[in-house]
Amino acid sequence: MLQKLAVVALSVGLLATVAYGQQSGAATLNGTITDQSGAAVPAAKVTVSQAAIGLTRTTETTNSGLYAFPSLPVGGYTISVEKSGFGPAKAENVDLSIGTTSTLDFKLQVGTTTETVNVTTEAPLVETSQSQTSTVIDNKSVSDLPINGRNFLDFTLLTPGVVLDRSRTGDLSFGGQRGTANSVQIDGSDSNNSFFGQAMGRTGTGRNPYSFSQDSVQEFQVNANTYAPELGRAGGGVINVITKSGTNDFHGTAFEFFRDKALNANSWENNRAGSPRRNYHYNQFGATLGGPIKKNKAFFFFDYDGQRNSEPIVVFFAGGTAPADADSQRGVALLQKYLGAYPRSLNNNVYLFKSDVNLSDSQRISVRYNANRFNGVNYENSGNQSALEHTGNADVTTDNVAGTHSWVLSPKALLESRVSFTRDNEPGASNSTAPEAVIQNGGNTVINIGRNNFSPRFTNAKTFQWAEGFSYTRDRHSYKIGSDFIFQRIGNFFPGLFSGTFTFPSYAAFALGQPSQYRQAFAGAGTDGALTHPNVNEYAFYVQDSWRVSNRLTLNYGARYDLFDYAAGTVKNTDAGLAALNLDTARINLDKNNLSVRLGFAYRVSDSGNLTVRGGYGMFVGRTPAIITGTSLSQNGIQVQTYTLTSNFPTYPNVLSAPPALNRTPDIYVFDPNYQQPTSHQWSLNLQRQIGKSYSVQVGYLGVKGTNLTRTRDINLFPAVATAGTLADGTPVTFARRPSGRPNANFGRISLFDSGAASIYHSGFIQVNKRLAQNFQLMASYTLAKVIDTKPDATSVVVGTDDAKNAQDTLNPDGERGRGNADIRHRFIFSGVWDINYAKRVKSAMLRNIIGGYQLSVVSTLQSGRPYTATVGSDPNNDGNISTDRPFALGRNTFEGAGLAQVDMRFTRDIALYKERVALRLMFEAFNLTNRVNFNNYNLSQYSFSASAFRFTPNASFFTPTSTSPNDPRILQLGAKITF
C-alpha cells in the first residue's frame, strides 16, 4: 500500500501523464445503478470483463450510485452488477470503441433472487456524457471499405469538418486550419513528424504511402472539435488510433492486390495529348498473425504490409519548338542523350509487432514496435523535364516503439505510464555530381540536367516521449491530472545551391556555354552551413474533471498549459538595420502564454438518453513546424552564403571552389521578436438522437477561429504607390507598384516569420450512422461550411519555390482576407458496407455457398468546387515575387473550380475452405468508378504583363483546366485474401 501511495504522490507531484481514459486509444464506461424507484444504490459491485484478452476489473458505486471504468481496452465486454438485497444484473456483448465514453445504467430488482436481469446487449449509440465532436471509424469500416493506396488516414475524410488541404499534398484540413495544425496519436503516443508538420514518415504526401498498415489498425477516432484538455499540440484535429492486439484465439490473414495499365482508363491529360495509357504496375501484399502466448495472460500480434509500384518517367523538351539556327540545333543535339524514359518505382515495407501481457488482475502492459522502410527510386525530383541525373532516390526509415503500463491502484484510482521512442529518417540522394543546368526556350524551362540543387539531403528526427498518468473517481467527479513531455532531436541537412546551378536562356546558349546566371552557396566560416539542429522540447500539463451534475447533465471542463522550447541559433547577424528593427536572427521567442481552458456539457433530453444535446468551447495551441525554426537558423545571411553571378561565370560544368569576391545581398529569414504559438478557439453545439437500435442522427454546428497563425512575409520593401498602366486595347488601368531597391540595401528579402494571420470557420452538418445490423452499416454526412482567412502558412521557407504561399502585399498581409484554400461550401460523403449473406438458414450447403458470402461496400463523395486566385504572369508590383500578383484590385480566391464527384466500390466473395474456419475472399475494387474527370488545377494567369510598357494583355486560356485529381482516371484492382 505504501508503494502505491508513493507512486501516486510522485505522479501527482510531477503532473506527469499522457492522454488516457477515453482519449488514449482506450474507452471509458460509466453509468448509474438505481433500484426500481430510481433511488441510487451505493456500494454496488460492478465488474467488467473481456474474455478475449482475459481482462477483469471491478469497482463500487459511489454514494450517488455512479460507477466509472476509465482506460478500458477497446472490444466487447460483459458487465455484471451485484448488491446484497438485490438481484444481479448483467449486460453482455457491449462493444466499447476508441475514445468513447459509453453510459450504461442498471436498475436492480429488490430481493434475493439469483435470476440475472439481462439489461442490454449493445452499447448505446448516443454518448450522453461526452461534449466533444468526434467520429469513430470502426474496424469493419477500416477493413471492408475501398481505399486507394491503403493509407488508413484517408478514412478521416469520411467525417464532417474534414477536407483535403490544397496547400500541401497529403495534408488534411480540420475546421479550415492548415494541415500543420493536426496531430496523430497511435496507441496514445505521439506519431508526428514535427519538422514538416505531418504524420510520422510524411504519410500520404505523394511519396511514402503509409507508415502503419491498414491491417494493423483496429479502429480510430477523429476528434474534430472541442476535445478534452488531455489532447493537445493541435489547433486543428486529433486523429486517435489503436492498433490490433492478439486474443485467446489464433487469427490471421494473407492478402495480395494487383493493378496493371490494362485495367485502368486513360488519363484526361493523355487523352488531350493523344497519348496512350502510361505503363503502370502495382502490387500490394501482406499478412497478419495474432493469438495467445499464454491463455488469458500474454498475447501477440504481427503484421507485414508491402507495396510495389513502378512506372516510367518520359523526359521530353517542353516550351515549344527549338529555333532552326545551327547553334540551337547543336544544343538540341547535345541534350538528346537526356531524353527518353527512366524508371520510377515505389517500394514500401511496413512491419508491426505488439505484445500485451496481463501481469496481474490489476496490472497490464502493452509494447508495440512498428517499422517503415520506404525506398522511392528516382522519387527525389522526377518529372517530364527532369533528366535521370536530375533526380535520385527518396527514402524513409521510421521506427516507432511504444509501451504502456496500466495499474489499477484501487477501484477508484488508475495509474498509467507511457514511454515511446521514434526515429524518422528521410534522406534524399542524387544521381549525379555535375552541377544543375536549367535550359530554357522562350522563357520556359525545357529540361533540367545535372544534380538537382538541393540534393543529397537528409532530415533525421529522434523523439522521446515520457508520461505518467493518474485518474481518480470521487462521487460524481472523474478527475484527471497530468502532463506529457516530448524531446525531439533533429538534424536537417539541406544544401540548396551548394553544388551550383547554371541557367541557360536558350538551346543556343547551352551549346555555346553562355549562361545568363550562375548561383552557388557556401558555408559561412566557422558555421555548420547547410546543417541545422532545430531541436525542441515540449512540455504539457493539464487538469480536467467530468462532473455528473445530475443523471441528465454532465459538465466536462479543465485547463491545459503548453510550453514549446525551441533551440536558438548560434549565429547572429549583427547588421545595424536588423538591430534597429529589433530583429535577432539567433532568437526564437519563448512563448509562455499558452494556458488554454476548455468547457463542455452534455445533457440528456430524455431519461433513456436517446436524445442528447452537447456543446463546448475551448482554446487549442498548436506546434510551430521545425522546418521554419530550422530555416531561421541557417538562412541568416551568414551560415549559408549564396552568390548570384550574371557575368564572369565558371566554365560549365565547372563550379567555384571558393566564394567569389562579390558583394552579396542575401535573402534571410528571421522570427518576429513577439512570435506566438498558433492558436485556435473552437466551439460547437450538437443534437444527437438514436432511432431504434441501430441508427443515430446528429445535427450540429462547428466554429473555429484561428489566431496567431504563422505566415511568412517580406518586410524589406518600400510601400507601393498607384501607377498608371494600360490594357492591350489601350484602356487605362491603375495598379500598385513599388519603387526599385530595398530599404535595407544589405539584404534582398527579409522574410519575417510572424504570427499575425487569422481564420474563421463556420459549418453546419447532419450525420447519419447505422451500426452493423441486419448485415448492413452506413455512415453519411452533409456539411455546409465557409472558411475565411488571411492566407496563413507555416511552410514557406524557400525563396522562389514557396513564393505562392505568401501574400501579394507582405506589408499589408491582412489584405489577403478572402476565402480560405480549404473553403468547400457543400460536401456530402457516404460510406456503407452490405454483407449480402442471407443464405445462412438454407439447408443445402451447396446452395449456401452459391448464393451466400458476398459483400458490397461503397464510398461516394460529392462536393462543390475549390476557390482559386487569378494572377498576372509577371511582377507588376515589383516585389521580386512573380507568383502572387493579382490583376488590379481583384481579391484572393475569387474564382471557383469545378466540383468533385467520385464513387469508389469494392465487391467481394467469401469462399469457405475448411470447416468455415478458413476462408478465401476474392475482391474487385474500382476507384473513380464512373471515370469522371475531376479537375484540380487551372491556368490561373489572367493577364501577362509588360514591365517596359506597363501593359496588361489578357490571356485567352485563363482558367482552362491543366490537371486532374490524383484519383483520375478510373483504376481497377483485383485482390485475394485468406483469413482464419
Side-chain angles (χ1 to χ4, degrees):
M1 183 66 181
L2 290 176
Q3 181 185 17
K4 292 183 179 180
L5 290 174
V7 173
V8 172
L10 176 62
S11 174
V12 175
L14 292 175
L15 291 178
T17 186
V18 74
Y20 57 87
Q22 70 265 31
Q23 301 296 347
S24 65
T28 292
L29 175 68
N30 65 23
T32 306
I33 311 299
T34 60
D35 61 19
Q36 289 175 295
S37 68
V41 178
K45 180 182 178 182
V46 185
T47 303
V48 297
S49 60
Q50 186 180 159
I53 58 174
L55 181 142
T56 300
R57 281 171 55 179
T58 301
T59 190
E60 288 187 350
T61 56
T62 67
N63 291 334
S64 301
L66 303 174
Y67 73 92
F69 290 98
S71 198
L72 290 171
V74 300
Y77 283 86
T78 296
I79 301 99
S80 59
V81 183
E82 298 176 349
K83 172 67 177 178
S84 178
F86 294 89
K90 178 184 289 188
E92 297 179 311
N93 302 319
V94 178
D95 190 38
L96 301 182
S97 297
I98 180 174
T100 59
T101 297
S102 295
T103 300
L104 195 60
D105 298 332
F106 291 83
K107 184 169 289 188
L108 302 184
Q109 304 291 325
V110 177
T112 58
T113 177
T114 58
E115 182 179 352
T116 300
V117 177
N118 195 349
V119 176
T120 183
T121 59
E122 292 181 307
L125 287 171
V126 177
E127 295 180 77
T128 59
S129 57
Q130 274 200 349
S131 51
Q132 67 193 38
T133 301
S134 61
T135 302
V136 172
I137 309 297
D138 64 11
N139 180 252
K140 190 168 185 65
S141 296
V142 173
S143 62
D144 290 349
L145 287 175
I147 180 171
N148 188 0
R150 296 182 59 77
N151 177 13
F152 74 90
L153 292 176
D154 288 346
F155 287 134
T156 304
L157 295 167
L158 300 179
T159 62
V162 186
V163 299
L164 283 175
D165 184 0
R166 195 186 77 207
S167 303
R168 191 170 58 164
T169 300
D171 283 5
L172 300 169
S173 174
F174 284 72
Q177 301 296 295
R178 295 297 172 89
T180 53
N182 305 325
S183 178
V184 177
Q185 307 288 311
I186 308 285
D187 296 323
S189 296
D190 190 86
S191 185
N192 298 285
N193 183 313
S194 59
F195 181 87
F196 292 104
Q198 294 174 313
M200 184 177 176
R202 304 193 70 191
T203 293
T205 57
R207 296 185 179 184
N208 184 20
Y210 49 84
S211 292
F212 277 78
S213 168
Q214 177 188 357
D215 280 7
S216 71
V217 174
Q218 176 68 24
E219 58 187 30
F220 65 96
Q221 180 191 41
V222 181
N223 295 279
N225 194 282
T226 58
Y227 36 88
E230 54 192 311
L231 286 182
R233 301 189 180 99
V238 175
I239 302 170
N240 192 16
V241 184
I242 183 75
T243 58
K244 291 180 179 178
S245 296
T247 66
N248 278 323
D249 295 320
F250 283 101
H251 293 284
T253 63
F255 70 89
E256 166 86 15
F257 290 99
F258 170 77
R259 304 179 191 176
D260 190 78
K261 79 168 187 177
L263 301 175
N264 300 339
N266 202 6
S267 68
W268 173 82
E269 290 88 349
N270 282 357
N271 284 331
R272 183 178 62 167
S275 301
R277 286 176 293 185
R278 63 187 175 95
N279 290 326
Y280 182 77
H281 195 78
Y282 199 91
N283 283 89
Q284 302 171 100
F285 48 88
T288 67
L289 180 64
I293 299 173
K294 183 178 180 180
K295 188 174 182 179
N296 290 330
K297 285 291 184 181
F299 313 91
F300 77 94
F301 178 80
F302 173 79
D303 172 79
Y304 166 73
D305 197 313
Q307 191 173 115
R308 305 290 184 268
N309 181 10
S310 63
E311 60 178 336
I313 299 298
V314 179
V315 181
F316 55 86
F317 295 139
T321 305
D325 63 277
D327 287 332
S328 294
Q329 290 303 307
R330 187 159 61 90
V332 170
L334 290 172
L335 294 168
Q336 283 294 320
K337 64 181 181 180
Y338 300 107
L339 304 183
Y342 58 83
R344 185 175 74 167
S345 60
L346 176 160
N347 303 292
N348 199 44
N349 295 290
V350 177
Y351 311 84
L352 179 140
F353 180 80
K354 186 177 182 181
S355 180
D356 301 273
V357 181
N358 296 322
L359 300 175
S360 66
D361 289 342
S362 60
Q363 296 188 61
R364 178 178 172 85
I365 190 170
S366 178
V367 178
R368 185 257 302 147
Y369 169 65
N370 189 88
N372 177 204
R373 300 293 184 265
F374 169 79
N375 173 227
V377 178
N378 294 323
Y379 259 71
E380 183 65 356
N381 197 41
S382 61
N384 300 124
Q385 279 69 58
S386 188
L388 174 61
E389 67 176 25
H390 196 251
T391 182
N393 292 358
D395 297 340
V396 175
T397 297
T398 71
D399 295 285
N400 189 317
V401 185
T404 302
H405 174 245
S406 59
W407 190 355
V408 180
L409 300 171
S410 74
K412 297 182 179 181
L414 175 71
L415 179 69
E416 194 166 48
S417 306
R418 293 181 185 275
V419 293
S420 69
F421 171 80
T422 63
R423 177 179 67 143
D424 192 344
N425 292 349
E426 305 203 16
S430 175
N431 289 342
S432 174
T433 59
E436 180 182 61
V438 180
I439 294 88
Q440 299 176 335
N441 180 36
N444 298 311
T445 297
V446 296
I447 192 170
N448 298 282
I449 63 175
R451 172 188 291 177
N452 74 72
N453 61 49
F454 55 82
S455 295
R457 58 161 184 90
F458 64 80
T459 303
N460 298 339
K462 294 181 179 179
T463 304
F464 176 73
Q465 182 179 19
W466 171 54
E468 296 291 328
F470 179 68
S471 61
Y472 184 73
T473 302
R474 181 179 180 182
D475 197 29
R476 290 183 173 273
H477 296 269
S478 295
Y479 300 104
K480 297 182 180 181
I481 187 169
S483 72
D484 184 359
F485 303 149
I486 292 180
F487 309 96
Q488 187 164 86
R489 299 297 174 260
I490 303 171
N492 182 54
F493 181 68
F494 190 81
L497 300 173
F498 271 67
S499 58
T501 179
F502 292 83
T503 300
F504 294 95
S506 64
Y507 291 103
F510 177 72
L512 296 170
Q514 297 176 349
S516 59
Q517 185 186 83
Y518 176 76
R519 303 183 72 196
Q520 188 174 344
F522 296 87
T527 75
D528 291 331
L531 177 64
T532 59
H533 297 281
N535 302 326
V536 58
N537 298 328
E538 301 176 344
Y539 308 92
F541 304 84
Y542 69 85
V543 59
Q544 64 188 54
D545 178 27
S546 181
W547 177 20
R548 295 281 297 275
V549 180
S550 68
N551 288 341
R552 288 181 179 266
L553 177 64
T554 300
L555 295 180
N556 300 303
Y557 53 91
R560 178 184 176 96
Y561 179 76
D562 286 279
L563 181 66
F564 299 86
D565 186 9
Y566 299 104
T570 58
V571 178
K572 179 177 179 178
N573 194 315
T574 58
D575 178 81
L578 294 178
L581 295 173
N582 194 29
L583 297 179
D584 185 345
T585 60
R587 180 178 180 271
I588 302 174
N589 185 45
L590 182 63
D591 180 13
K592 300 179 181 179
N593 300 314
N594 296 320
L595 178 65
S596 51
V597 297
R598 302 178 193 179
L599 171 66
F601 74 92
Y603 181 75
R604 294 189 190 188
V605 178
S606 60
D607 289 333
S608 65
N610 284 349
L611 181 62
T612 295
V613 178
R614 62 173 63 89
Y617 163 81
M619 298 171 59
F620 301 81
V621 179
R623 285 178 163 122
T624 296
I627 192 172
I628 68 170
T629 62
T631 299
S632 74
L633 301 182
S634 63
Q635 302 302 317
N636 49 33
I638 297 175
Q639 183 157 329
V640 172
Q641 301 183 3
T642 303
Y643 294 83
T644 300
L645 281 67
T646 56
S647 62
N648 299 319
F649 305 108
T651 302
Y652 175 80
N654 297 311
V655 299
L656 299 175
S657 59
L662 294 174
N663 292 325
R664 294 182 304 118
T665 53
D667 299 313
I668 67 169
Y669 289 81
V670 60
F671 269 86
D672 186 299
N674 299 313
Y675 180 83
Q676 296 180 342
Q677 291 297 126
T679 303
S680 70
H681 300 258
Q682 302 179 6
W683 58 95
S684 63
L685 182 64
N686 305 323
L687 176 68
Q688 188 177 17
R689 173 67 185 266
Q690 180 169 338
I691 302 174
K693 294 183 178 180
S694 303
Y695 287 89
S696 71
V697 178
Q698 184 174 196
V699 179
Y701 161 76
L702 305 177
V704 180
K705 180 181 181 181
T707 61
N708 302 331
L709 302 183
T710 306
R711 63 188 174 194
T712 304
R713 60 189 191 95
D714 181 8
I715 60 171
N716 194 25
L717 294 167
F718 290 109
V721 296
T723 304
T726 63
L727 295 179
D729 62 4
T731 303
V733 294
T734 301
F735 66 102
R737 187 172 176 84
R738 304 180 187 281
S740 297
R742 300 275 184 172
N744 187 335
N746 293 330
F747 301 100
R749 296 190 196 181
I750 299 177
S751 294
L752 188 73
F753 295 130
D754 82 3
S755 47
S759 69
I760 187 71
Y761 171 89
H762 298 284
S763 75
F765 72 91
I766 180 169
Q767 184 179 36
V768 178
N769 286 291
K770 180 187 182 299
R771 66 177 158 202
L772 184 64
Q774 288 80 48
N775 297 326
F776 182 63
Q777 77 171 36
L778 70 85
M779 180 166 60
S781 65
Y782 166 74
T783 305
L784 172 65
K786 184 176 183 179
V787 184
I788 299 292
D789 64 31
T790 56
K791 204 175 184 180
D793 194 281
T795 62
S796 179
V797 295
V798 180
V799 172
T801 301
D802 295 330
D803 279 1
K805 300 176 181 179
N806 300 336
Q808 174 183 241
D809 183 353
T810 57
L811 299 184
N812 179 31
D814 290 343
E816 296 296 295
R817 180 176 172 82
R819 292 180 64 182
N821 289 353
D823 183 34
I824 296 177
R825 203 58 51 90
H826 303 278
R827 178 172 167 84
F828 171 79
I829 189 154
F830 171 91
S831 66
V833 181
W834 181 23
D835 294 328
I836 310 172
N837 196 16
Y838 299 100
K840 291 183 177 180
R841 297 183 180 180
V842 176
K843 294 182 178 180
S844 169
M846 179 180 297
L847 186 58
R848 282 201 309 271
N849 286 330
I850 293 174
I851 65 175
Y854 296 93
Q855 184 189 81
L856 176 67
S857 57
V858 174
V859 174
S860 180
T861 305
L862 299 171
Q863 69 182 38
S864 55
R866 291 180 176 272
Y868 292 88
T869 301
T871 63
V872 176
S874 187
D875 188 22
N877 69 5
N878 200 33
D879 65 352
N881 183 342
I882 65 172
S883 299
T884 58
D885 293 74
R886 299 193 292 269
F888 319 125
L890 196 64
R892 181 173 68 93
N893 279 339
T894 54
F895 291 85
E896 183 172 301
L900 180 144
Q902 181 172 315
V903 177
D904 298 335
M905 181 271 289
R906 172 189 281 188
F907 185 71
T908 70
R909 170 76 160 95
D910 291 338
I911 302 172
L913 298 180
Y914 177 72
K915 297 182 179 180
E916 298 187 353
R917 297 178 181 177
V918 180
L920 170 65
R921 168 167 286 193
L922 302 177
M923 292 171 280
F924 170 78
E925 292 182 317
F927 304 105
N928 192 11
L929 176 66
T930 62
N931 199 31
R932 185 182 190 272
V933 177
N934 293 299
F935 297 110
N936 71 345
N937 212 347
Y938 299 83
N939 184 337
L940 298 176
S941 181
Q942 190 172 13
Y943 294 90
S944 61
F945 175 72
S946 170
S948 60
F950 289 176
R951 184 173 60 249
F952 295 83
T953 303
N955 180 2
S957 61
F958 169 66
F959 218 66
T960 57
T962 58
S963 66
T964 60
S965 77
N967 290 321
D968 175 63
R970 177 180 56 237
I971 295 173
L972 303 183
Q973 179 168 275
L974 303 177
K977 176 183 285 190
I978 293 177
T979 62
F980 66 90

